[in-house]
Amino acid sequence: MTLIAADRLSKRFNEQVILDRVSFTIVAGERIGLVGRNGSGKTTLFELIAGLQEVDSGTVTRPKGCYVDYIEQEKSDYHDLTLFEYVASAREDLLQIRRDITRLEAVLAENPEDRNSLTRLGSIQSRFEHEGGFTFENEIKTILTGLSFGEERYHDRMINFSGGEKNRAGLARALAGKGNLLLLDEPTNHLDIDSTLWLEDYLNKTNKSFLVVSHDRTFLGNTVDKVWEITRGKIDVYHGTFEKYLSERAERIRLHEHHYRHQQDEIKRIEDFIRRNMAGQKTKQAQSKLKYLARIKRLPPPPTEGASVAINLSSSGRSYAHVLEVENVTVGYGHREVASYIDFDIYRGDRVGLIGANGSGKSTILKALIGELAPIEGDIQLGNKVNVAYFDQELSNLMLERTVLENLWEVDPMAESGSIRSFLGRFGFTGDDCFKIVSSLSGGEKTKLSLARLLYHPANFLIFDEPTNHLDLDSREALEQALREYDGSYLVVSHDRYFLDAVVDKILHIHDGSLKTYLGNYSYFREKSVLPPPVKQKNSESTSKQSWLDFKERSKRRSRHKKEVRATREKIAQLEKEVEAMTVQLDGNVAHSDWEKLHEMTARKSELESELIDLYEKLEAHRYPEEVRTKAEAEIKKLSKMHPY
């Protein structure tokens, strides 16, 4: 069954061509991923299919049996409903039937002999059952649980929800609808990893067709069997998995570039022949070739020739070894604790990912790190010469009613226009893009502009809160490449599993208010993390006493451990200052002819550096549990055998 048929569909905004005479069909059972650069028209296509926008030309046909469920990417019109009422409103037909049943039951309570009402009630109840009315509430609860809404939130008013929660509620409403075609616009943007896994399972089991806009490569790889790519106003169709799309797309681009270069060379050769022979003996041949050039269908330039993102992360300079110390920290709001007894350290060059369920305290911890929120207990210390830059997922640093150019100029008012525009060009803003009002930009374009503001001034410690939200594939790959080449340290909160695997080598996992460290990327975390089952406590006096004694012993060990770590760090800081001072003296304060003094100071510097290495190793032994150190030592031995030199 054909659900949607579009014929020669065109759409423009001002002078920009969004869709140019595209034709496509969606049939029952299809699972399609829609990709393309930010601003290429993905959301516009959704709104045309859903009937929320008018086409400039062409037709979109929706047969009578096609029901579309669509929730916008940035929905702002929320009624004064509870969460459960809002999601249930997706099935207004069932709610109306239930109201009719209640009304007829009231009529029959007063007049049990009313046969017409009795017959009507039986008919309506049969229809209600056939439409799934008796299981509908359970389905809503299943969806809300899968999207990380606890039952205590069911009766909260939607007006009191955060932007991310409203987006999740909108997704729940779309999934609960009666439609046989789902249009999902960036559904994973506000989901934690567990909810994303649940959504993947839901989509793989549903009998509904769906068209999903997403740039989460792992999510697309697990859910779709066809990919549409919007580029230059056209839709290129790729059959097969997302991985197959990536390889086939690369091959198509290679062939396109080859044919384009070949055609351009041929055109230049013909044009040269025409110039040389138009007024000579071969005039007729030249005129014939001129007519041929007028008829030839010229290939468009390869898609990679458009404005692309080339992010460059610059460090503000080398910091001391210890970048960040978080010791016994409890964070929260007022007297409400969100996460307790958080301990971790970040050292120069660390690439750290912070993950956990929505509401587990990730953003709260970040706010405490940058000083926006004072910890309830504990200490947070930045190291010497550490310059912090913070990316806020809410994009609160953007001035929505100003232009792109003005937004970046605001961070460096004395800069020349040319240098500002050149910097914006690295993030894909070229030509008239610089004069667009920020409120008119797509979600991905706003994210790129916020990144440009953040990265304009160099820093050696970057903190990111969901930096990949709304970014297209090219921009994500550019950010990944920049992070891999960055010589500073960073801490990133993300739910993008592919991104975490690509850019981090340490995972901080927050669960049930506590934090645990894993020395590897996200895949390593998934392999090693097994949450222990809850232990049933015996209700006996002896058990309570033993628990108290165990707690006291753990507290003593922890206190001794912290003292040792603190002493080691203080010694490292002292030696680093000595080494730095000695380096300054050797570089200019000691005469080159004073060989004895130079030899003495060089030898002393080597001794200090050797002592620093020993202290670093000692600190590493304190930082990680024995089983992790054993694994690391085994890997080092293995590598040394493979590469003895």
Side-chain angles (χ1 to χ4, degrees):
M1 173 185 175
T2 298
L3 300 177
I4 298 290
D7 182 44
R8 299 177 67 80
L9 189 66
S10 293
K11 184 68 178 178
R12 288 173 176 260
F13 283 124
N14 298 324
E15 298 301 317
Q16 183 182 3
V17 177
I18 305 299
L19 297 169
D20 182 20
R21 293 172 294 176
V22 299
S23 300
F24 59 83
T25 58
I26 302 175
V27 301
E30 285 193 312
R31 302 157 180 263
I32 306 169
L34 179 62
V35 300
R37 286 187 172 179
N38 295 135
S40 61
K42 302 183 293 297
T43 300
T44 300
L45 178 62
F46 268 21
E47 292 179 349
L48 291 172
I49 292 174
L52 301 178
Q53 286 195 40
E54 296 294 328
V55 301
D56 292 341
S57 62
T59 59
V60 179
T61 304
R62 287 176 290 274
K64 189 175 180 180
C66 175
Y67 300 96
V68 177
D69 281 322
Y70 171 54
I71 187 71
E72 299 93 326
Q73 188 182 96
E74 295 181 359
K75 187 172 176 62
S76 58
D77 181 23
Y78 288 94
H79 303 288
D80 188 23
L81 300 173
T82 67
L83 171 63
F84 200 91
E85 289 170 342
Y86 173 71
V87 176
S89 67
R91 293 299 307 269
E92 181 59 35
D93 57 328
L94 290 180
L95 297 179
Q96 183 58 52
I97 294 174
R98 180 183 288 173
R99 288 191 287 268
D100 291 342
I101 290 173
T102 302
R103 179 179 56 79
L104 287 171
E105 286 176 341
V107 170
L108 287 169
E110 293 183 2
N111 187 7
E113 303 301 322
D114 187 344
R115 291 186 174 274
N116 287 335
S117 295
L118 191 62
T119 302
R120 176 68 175 158
L121 179 62
S123 174
I124 290 178
Q125 285 179 333
S126 176
R127 181 185 167 197
F128 189 67
E129 181 179 7
H130 178 73
E131 294 288 337
F134 293 112
T135 60
F136 180 53
E137 286 193 1
N138 285 333
E139 289 176 6
I140 292 177
K141 290 178 181 178
T142 298
I143 291 171
L144 289 175
T145 300
L147 297 180
S148 300
F149 286 110
E151 288 192 24
E152 71 279 2
R153 304 300 306 279
Y154 289 1
H155 302 293
D156 289 351
R157 298 283 172 185
M158 289 295 299
I159 197 171
N160 297 322
F161 280 47
S162 68
E165 288 173 329
K166 288 178 180 178
N167 276 278
R168 282 193 284 139
L171 174 59
R173 189 177 187 276
L175 298 181
K178 67 177 293 184
N180 50 6
L181 174 61
L182 289 172
L183 301 181
L184 305 175
D185 197 349
E186 295 283 10
T188 64
N189 267 359
H190 300 280
L191 300 185
D192 56 36
I193 293 176
D194 287 341
S195 296
T196 301
L197 292 170
W198 177 87
L199 181 60
E200 288 177 0
D201 184 62
Y202 177 91
L203 292 177
N204 285 325
K205 291 178 179 177
T206 186
N207 57 4
K208 300 179 181 181
S209 302
F210 59 82
L211 180 61
V212 55
V213 170
S214 180
H215 300 114
D216 184 328
R217 286 153 289 189
T218 304
F219 175 77
L220 289 172
N222 292 337
T223 55
V224 307
D225 51 27
K226 181 185 288 189
V227 176
W228 290 359
E229 182 181 29
I230 296 185
T231 177
R232 299 176 182 269
K234 302 294 184 182
I235 297 178
D236 294 328
V237 178
Y238 297 81
H239 297 273
T241 63
F242 184 71
E243 288 75 14
K244 185 178 179 183
Y245 150 75
L246 291 174
S247 60
E248 188 176 333
R249 175 178 181 263
E251 180 62 15
R252 285 192 188 186
I253 290 174
R254 188 190 68 79
L255 289 174
H256 189 123
E257 289 175 343
H258 170 76
H259 293 312
Y260 176 77
R261 286 197 302 269
H262 178 76
Q263 186 183 70
Q264 290 298 306
D265 291 342
E266 182 68 9
I267 289 172
K268 288 178 182 177
R269 186 185 64 80
I270 294 173
E271 287 175 341
D272 181 63
F273 179 87
I274 293 170
R275 278 194 302 272
R276 288 186 290 104
N277 296 283
M278 184 59 77
Q281 295 180 347
K282 298 181 179 180
T283 299
K284 289 185 178 180
Q285 293 182 32
Q287 291 174 340
S288 176
K289 288 185 180 294
L290 186 62
K291 291 178 182 178
Y292 169 75
L293 280 184
R295 294 193 307 267
I296 191 173
K297 183 178 180 180
R298 304 200 178 201
L299 296 173
T304 54
E305 291 189 0
S308 59
V309 177
I311 299 174
N312 180 31
L313 298 179
S314 299
S315 172
S316 59
R318 187 179 176 88
S319 70
Y320 278 25
H322 200 186
V323 173
L324 175 69
E325 176 187 13
V326 178
E327 184 177 18
N328 201 27
V329 165
T330 297
V331 294
Y333 300 91
H335 297 292
R336 184 174 69 87
E337 295 182 1
V338 176
S340 306
Y341 306 113
I342 301 299
D343 281 286
F344 66 89
D345 297 280
I346 294 179
Y347 290 86
R348 186 175 56 235
D350 277 356
R351 302 160 183 265
V352 186
L354 175 60
I355 64 174
N358 285 331
S360 61
K362 302 183 301 296
S363 294
T364 307
I365 291 173
L366 296 192
K367 289 179 180 179
L369 296 184
I370 63 173
E372 283 190 8
L373 183 70
I376 297 173
E377 290 182 8
D379 296 315
I380 298 174
Q381 294 291 334
L382 282 174
N384 291 326
K385 296 188 177 181
V386 174
N387 301 312
V388 181
Y390 171 61
F391 177 85
D392 174 16
Q393 66 166 315
E394 301 297 332
L395 310 181
S396 57
N397 64 341
L398 296 182
M399 299 176 290
L400 298 180
E401 300 311 314
R402 295 191 181 183
T403 66
V404 171
L405 183 64
E406 288 171 334
N407 264 265
L408 189 59
W409 221 334
E410 193 256 346
V411 302
D412 188 7
M414 303 304 294
E416 294 182 355
S417 172
S419 64
I420 294 289
R421 296 190 66 172
S422 176
F423 191 83
L424 283 170
R426 301 181 192 174
F427 293 82
F429 296 103
T430 59
D432 292 339
D433 293 339
C434 296
F435 303 103
K436 288 182 178 178
I437 300 299
V438 172
S439 60
S440 69
L441 300 179
S442 69
E445 290 171 323
K446 289 176 183 175
T447 299
K448 286 189 285 188
L449 178 57
S450 188
L451 281 171
R453 285 176 56 97
L454 171 80
L455 303 174
Y456 185 84
H457 293 297
N460 54 21
F461 181 37
L462 305 176
I463 299 177
F464 293 103
D465 192 1
E466 296 288 359
T468 61
N469 272 3
H470 304 295
L471 285 184
D472 56 37
L473 294 178
D474 291 342
S475 300
R476 290 185 185 214
E477 289 174 357
L479 180 58
E480 288 165 10
Q481 182 65 27
L483 286 172
R484 283 193 290 265
E485 296 175 355
Y486 179 59
D487 61 356
S489 312
Y490 55 79
L491 172 65
V492 56
V493 169
S494 180
H495 297 133
D496 186 329
R497 293 157 287 173
Y498 188 99
F499 179 75
L500 288 170
D501 271 343
V503 302
V504 308
D505 50 29
K506 183 193 298 183
I507 292 288
L508 303 177
H509 179 225
I510 186 166
H511 176 73
D512 284 344
S514 61
L515 185 140
K516 186 175 180 181
T517 301
Y518 295 82
L519 299 182
N521 58 14
Y522 174 77
S523 294
Y524 177 83
F525 158 76
R526 291 302 298 183
E527 177 187 346
K528 297 298 180 183
S529 63
V530 178
L531 297 177
V535 178
K536 294 182 179 179
Q537 298 293 333
K538 296 180 181 178
N539 295 322
S540 67
E541 211 172 296
S542 60
T543 302
S544 299
K545 183 177 180 180
Q546 185 59 45
S547 297
W548 169 246
L549 293 173
D550 290 343
F551 172 75
K552 284 185 67 178
E553 181 59 31
R554 287 196 303 271
S555 297
K556 288 180 182 178
R557 288 200 302 267
R558 187 171 182 176
S559 179
R560 288 195 299 268
H561 176 265
K562 286 184 177 180
K563 287 180 181 178
E564 292 172 358
V565 170
R566 189 178 292 110
T568 304
R569 288 171 178 162
E570 289 173 354
K571 184 64 174 175
I572 287 175
Q574 177 188 341
L575 291 182
E576 282 188 328
K577 288 180 181 178
E578 289 186 37
V579 170
E580 186 176 3
M582 199 161 290
T583 301
V584 171
Q585 284 186 293
L586 286 170
D587 287 345
N589 294 342
V590 178
H592 287 207
S593 58
D594 192 348
W595 296 104
E596 186 176 346
K597 183 69 171 177
L598 284 171
H599 177 74
E600 179 185 340
M601 293 189 68
T602 303
R604 176 56 182 159
K605 183 184 175 187
S606 297
E607 289 177 9
L608 292 175
E609 289 173 341
S610 297
E611 191 174 350
L612 269 174
I613 291 172
D614 293 338
L615 287 171
Y616 286 143
E617 291 177 352
K618 183 179 179 181
L619 190 59
E620 291 295 303
H622 285 309
R623 290 169 67 199
Y624 305 127
E626 183 63 33
E627 62 269 24
V628 177
R629 294 203 307 275
T630 303
K631 178 179 179 293
E633 289 167 1
E635 289 295 326
I636 291 171
K637 288 180 180 178
K638 180 180 175 183
L639 289 171
S640 64
K641 290 179 181 178
M642 295 172 59
H643 306 286
Y645 301 108

